[in-house]
Amino acid sequence: MRKFLAKNAPGYIFLTPWLIGFFVLAIGPILISFYLSFTKYDIASPPKFTGLDNFDYMLFWDDRFWQSLKVTFAFVFLSVPGTLIFALAVAMALDKGIRAIGIYRALFYLPSILGGSIAVAILWRQLFSNNGVVNSFLALFGIQGPYWLSDPNYSLYTLVVLAIWQFGSPMLIFLAGLRAIPTELYEAAEIDAAGPVRKFFSITLPLLAPVMFFNLVLQMIEAFKTFNSAFIISDGRGNPLDSLLFFTLYLYNEAFSYFRMGYASALAWVLLLIIAAFTAVAFASSRYWVHYESDRG
Amino acid sequence: MADALPLQNPNATTAEIAQSLRDIRERKKRRANLLRHLFLIICSFVMVYPLLWLLASSLKPDAEIFGNLSLWPTNFDWANYSEGWNALVVSFTQFFWNSTLITVLAVIGNVISASFTAYAFARLEFAGKNFWFALMMMTLMIPYHIVLIPQYILFLKMGWVDTYLPLIVPRFLATDAFFIFLMVQFFRQLPRELDEAAMIDGCSPFKIYWAIILPLSVPAMATAAIFSFIGIWQDFLPPLVYLNDVKDYTVPLALRMFSSQDSVSLYGPMFAMSVLSIIPIFFFFVVFQRLIVQGIAMSGLK
């Protein structure tokens, strides 16, 4: 017994802060959230168990739930491929030893660091205002820009552009991946007279697949969780006409503007399941298109 | 023609032809390089332009801000800064102090608790280690929104709402698995022989952590500290939920007050305060750029 203690005690002592955090602030809350999602709870009075009512209302009666799903999915499907394409294009331009790479890398990465800040969200609102920078620029070419922020057909694009602007961190990961591709492969391809397009599709892309996969999963999770910029740009409510009603924003308002904690918990579970499902699909599909160095046979 | 290209000259020697082929390739490469630089310069200008425009606009009178693409104010007007500093009910001195206090304590909590946890996972043997490690990695995926509501209810019952405790205490409990993962990766690289030699000399695991691992992991701790600083300084949702009194507000919450105000005349001051809010981050980014880039390459996460 003493031996068992002596062997295990130090590990658990060092683990204690994390264990407390894990039970009190992670697993505990997740279980409580699960329970709350089957209740009606406004904090003032104790939670009332209502069975599947929350989910029934959500799926069959709540138009704003579907609207928020639509907005969020549209955002994910526009912003994630956009971000990855830019990240890869710039990473490829930076690869193979270019002068001043440090400066370029820093300039491209800077927006990723500042992108979530309220200052940038405020700035973005002004850039896309009716007589803001974007429309002034379009006017130089005689184009009358739309009312980006007040026209529900265009408002989402402001946030998509903001997301793509932050391509810096996937770019850095691509850059590390490109470095790992042996140059001999390209030299061999050149001897076989392969052009740049052929080289890209036959060497770069297949060998970069694991990195691409990693970036894809990460960017998707990030995109589903977008909150700060959506909050500021849409006045905290998803304006105009719910066209920026991101899922997280809807959840926040249900919980902290209307204190419908039970319903908001149900929404949170839907978010968790969506993220988990997308991650699972990405992992499951990866065996068809990701080939790791070690399992080539 | 005497100076015709060797390739078109039937009398050229093989050496001349080889040389000229090399020249052509060299020229092609130089042109490709030039195009690459051109592409990168245009891209980086587009990337940085919004930030430069923000800086320029913070120095312009309001009349000059809109419909204006220029990055150079006609005359530098610092009034926006003094006006912005005191434009809200509470001055920005208070907001910056609040943000600094929360960020410093939270960063310390993050780094200490993450290094504790990472030491256990990376260097100690105990029953159930792999199980806990797998659970820890799973928490990386959990969105904050799902724990937010129960945490809020818990902190409300404890009387912690409208204090800084919900923003600081969880950081001391290693709630951000990203930093644990970052340090585990780093600790694993340190040579095992160090621990073993110390153990033979009769050092306890605590002594080893304190006297060997900690001093050697300064770069990892610095990376973790910078990442958590950048994240926590810009944190918005937790302070939005937990702080209701304007005098407790952090800088991002104060900035949001500008943007939700209807008064049209405060654009300049709003931009000025936005600039000030990102200066600390910009400073850390410039000074520690190398550590940040390495950190991303090492952990693969933002």
Side-chain angles (χ1 to χ4, degrees):
Chain A
M1 183 65 204
R2 254 179 97 183
K3 221 172 148 194
F4 180 82
L5 263 183
K7 190 171 168 288
N8 291 299
Y12 277 96
I13 290 172
F14 275 98
L15 219 53
T16 302
W18 177 77
L19 282 170
I20 296 173
F22 179 72
F23 283 107
V24 179
L25 300 170
I27 282 296
I30 289 174
L31 294 176
I32 291 171
S33 165
F34 187 67
Y35 167 69
L36 286 179
S37 70
F38 299 102
T39 65
K40 199 176 149 96
Y41 183 38
D42 62 0
I43 290 186
S45 45
K48 208 176 106 214
F49 189 78
T50 55
L52 288 169
D53 280 7
N54 285 333
F55 294 97
D56 178 65
Y57 174 73
M58 188 191 295
L59 296 175
F60 301 110
W61 304 95
D62 188 0
D63 292 338
R64 294 193 85 206
F65 163 75
W66 289 107
Q67 172 65 13
S68 71
L69 273 188
K70 210 178 96 192
V71 170
T72 310
F73 274 89
F75 175 75
V76 171
F77 287 130
L78 289 171
S79 71
V80 172
T83 309
L84 292 183
I85 289 169
F86 266 89
L88 182 58
V90 174
M92 285 178 62
L94 281 178
D95 191 34
K96 287 179 258 169
I98 191 159
R99 225 180 275 176
I101 183 172
I103 296 172
Y104 286 129
R105 208 172 44 192
L107 289 178
F108 289 132
Y109 186 60
L110 183 60
S112 294
I113 278 193
L114 299 174
S117 71
I118 298 306
V120 165
I122 284 175
L123 163 67
W124 225 252
R125 234 178 114 118
Q126 308 312 322
L127 291 181
F128 283 90
S129 64
N130 298 345
N131 54 351
V133 165
V134 173
N135 280 352
S136 306
F137 180 75
L138 291 175
L140 293 181
F141 303 97
I143 302 169
Q144 163 82 55
Y147 292 147
W148 296 101
L149 295 167
S150 46
D151 185 336
N153 294 318
Y154 289 97
S155 50
L156 190 62
Y157 293 109
T158 60
L159 279 151
V160 171
V161 174
L162 177 54
I164 295 176
W165 186 59
Q166 300 165 51
F167 67 75
S169 61
M171 177 204 75
L172 287 181
I173 298 169
F174 275 135
L175 208 50
L178 287 170
R179 292 252 165 92
I181 300 177
T183 42
E184 294 87 52
L185 289 178
Y186 291 108
E187 282 159 13
E190 258 165 60
I191 290 168
D192 292 343
V197 178
R198 185 70 206 277
K199 278 192 280 185
F200 176 74
F201 284 105
S202 302
I203 300 176
T204 314
L205 218 46
L207 286 177
L208 218 51
V211 180
M212 179 64 93
F213 164 68
F214 181 82
N215 269 338
L216 179 71
V217 174
L218 221 63
Q219 290 298 314
M220 263 174 11
I221 295 179
E222 283 301 308
F224 274 115
K225 294 195 294 190
T226 301
F227 179 79
N228 291 4
S229 43
F231 185 95
I232 293 295
I233 291 173
S234 74
D235 296 318
R237 314 220 146 256
N239 294 341
L241 288 173
D242 282 351
S243 65
L244 292 182
L245 187 69
F246 277 67
F247 199 82
T248 53
L249 204 53
Y250 185 44
L251 193 164
Y252 167 82
N253 277 316
E254 285 296 303
F256 297 102
S257 304
Y258 306 114
F259 290 95
R260 292 196 271 258
M261 295 292 175
Y263 191 58
S265 299
L267 289 172
W269 266 87
V270 171
L271 180 67
L272 179 73
L273 293 179
I274 290 173
I275 291 180
F278 267 75
T279 315
V281 168
F283 271 102
S285 72
S286 72
R287 49 190 282 249
Y288 297 107
W289 54 281
V290 178
H291 300 282
Y292 290 93
E293 199 77 28
S294 50
D295 59 31
R296 227 185 302 145
Chain B
M1 264 162 55
D3 55 350
L5 286 169
L7 280 179
Q8 293 155 345
N9 181 355
N11 302 322
T13 63
T14 29
E16 277 172 330
I17 291 176
Q19 178 60 40
S20 120
L21 278 175
R22 226 173 292 141
D23 282 352
I24 291 173
R25 194 188 282 174
E26 191 63 29
R27 221 173 304 145
K28 236 171 129 185
K29 212 170 134 194
R30 219 175 302 150
R31 200 180 319 142
N33 244 337
L34 208 69
L35 278 176
R36 244 162 78 188
H37 272 292
L38 200 67
F39 170 73
L40 289 170
I41 288 170
I42 293 173
C43 276
S44 28
F45 181 73
V46 174
M47 295 291 283
V48 185
Y49 180 86
L51 297 173
L52 293 176
W53 186 84
L54 173 68
L55 181 64
S57 299
S58 76
L59 294 164
K60 290 174 183 172
D62 272 355
E64 220 181 293
I65 291 177
F66 283 98
N68 191 339
L69 292 170
S70 134
L71 293 179
W72 201 256
T74 40
N75 48 346
F76 287 77
D77 182 2
W78 294 93
N80 287 332
Y81 283 83
S82 49
E83 201 184 313
W85 194 264
N86 295 310
L88 303 175
V89 249
V90 177
S91 107
F92 265 81
T93 318
Q94 182 74 42
F95 299 136
F96 271 94
W97 165 248
N98 296 342
S99 269
T100 309
L101 181 73
I102 294 170
T103 309
V104 168
L105 290 175
V107 167
I108 292 173
N110 250 348
V111 174
I112 293 178
S113 64
S115 85
F116 248 64
T117 316
Y119 176 66
F121 281 135
R123 307 299 268 200
L124 299 176
E125 292 305 325
F126 52 92
K129 180 163 115 167
N130 291 337
F131 171 72
W132 294 120
F133 189 76
L135 282 181
M136 190 274 290
M137 292 304 285
M138 266 177 62
T139 60
L140 269 177
M141 204 197 77
I142 295 168
Y144 178 61
H145 295 85
I146 200 159
V147 293
L148 175 65
I149 292 167
Q151 280 188 9
Y152 176 80
I153 296 165
L154 173 73
F155 292 137
L156 187 73
K157 299 254 148 97
M158 291 167 75
W160 283 13
V161 169
D162 281 315
T163 74
Y164 294 152
L165 292 173
L167 307 175
I168 296 168
V169 174
R171 309 286 184 178
F172 281 87
L173 298 173
T175 42
D176 202 335
F178 164 63
F179 297 105
I180 304 176
F181 179 60
L182 187 91
M183 289 208 202
V184 166
Q185 297 286 82
F186 187 87
F187 287 169
R188 279 184 180 155
Q189 291 172 1
L190 300 175
R192 280 262 172 200
E193 292 78 30
L194 291 173
D195 305 31
E196 282 154 16
M199 209 119 66
I200 290 165
D201 288 349
C203 281
S204 69
F206 306 95
K207 188 82 195 282
I208 295 173
Y209 169 74
W210 184 253
I212 296 172
I213 301 292
L214 269 196
L216 285 175
S217 58
V218 170
M221 309 251 279
T223 309
I226 294 159
F227 275 109
S228 27
F229 175 85
I230 289 171
I232 296 166
W233 182 262
Q234 305 185 92
D235 233 357
F236 181 64
L237 181 54
L240 180 69
V241 167
Y242 289 114
L243 305 177
N244 298 302
D245 190 341
V246 180
K247 73 175 193 339
D248 293 335
Y249 273 14
T250 59
V251 175
L253 287 183
L255 285 178
R256 182 230 162 179
M257 284 177 78
F258 271 116
S259 87
S260 53
Q261 259 169 0
D262 291 324
S263 86
V264 205
S265 61
L266 284 173
Y267 286 116
M270 176 173 81
F271 287 149
M273 293 306 107
S274 298
V275 169
L276 291 184
S277 80
I278 56 182
I279 279 182
I281 294 177
F282 188 74
F283 172 79
F284 269 78
F285 176 70
V286 172
V287 177
F288 297 110
Q289 205 224 110
R290 188 167 288 269
L291 277 179
I292 292 173
V293 170
Q294 275 171 1
I296 291 166
M298 201 161 93
S299 63
L301 293 165
K302 184 154 83 166

